[in-house]
Amino acid sequence: MGRHRMILSLSDDLHSILMELSKETGTPAATFVVELLESSKPHIMQISEAVKQAKNQQKAQALKTLSKMATDATSQLGDFRQMLDDEENKGTEEK
């Protein structure tokens, strides 16, 4: 798999946040950004598909695609929340 480079312009705030994260984790900021984008690849592909559908006058299908993304995101947030609650309860029980 090839690797491609891109030049990105970041706001001062975002740059500062990434530099702080890099300092705290010991991970280069660019590595974190690449990992974040890689993990977002399925969502980026879905957004791209919805844009294509909208451009091709398939607005109902585009809305369906975006609605599925929202439903999936809500489900993932619920799973994450449950995981955090379970960890918190586990910590409380150990004390």
Side-chain angles (χ1 to χ4, degrees):
M1 172 173 49
R3 298 299 256 178
H4 302 276
R5 294 185 179 268
M6 291 182 83
I7 297 173
L8 303 173
S9 297
L10 307 175
S11 68
D12 290 340
D13 289 344
L14 181 54
H15 183 264
S16 177
I17 292 166
L18 289 171
M19 291 301 102
E20 181 68 22
L21 178 63
S22 177
K23 178 181 152 192
E24 294 298 327
T25 63
T27 302
T31 299
F32 179 76
V33 170
V34 168
E35 289 173 358
L36 183 62
L37 288 171
E38 283 291 336
S39 69
S40 299
K41 193 175 359 181
H43 305 292
I44 295 168
M45 290 170 57
Q46 287 177 312
I47 292 168
S48 177
E49 184 62 28
V51 169
K52 279 191 245 178
Q53 291 164 341
K55 285 175 118 180
N56 291 326
Q57 302 302 315
Q58 299 171 328
K59 291 185 173 43
Q61 187 61 37
L63 288 173
K64 185 176 177 183
T65 299
L66 294 174
S67 178
K68 182 181 180 328
M69 285 182 66
T71 300
D72 292 348
T74 300
S75 175
Q76 289 172 351
L77 284 173
D79 293 347
F80 184 66
R81 174 65 189 260
Q82 184 63 50
M83 182 184 73
L84 290 176
D85 288 346
D86 291 347
E87 285 296 316
E88 185 176 310
N89 291 336
K90 183 179 172 184
T92 303
E93 292 171 1
E94 292 175 357
K95 289 183 181 182

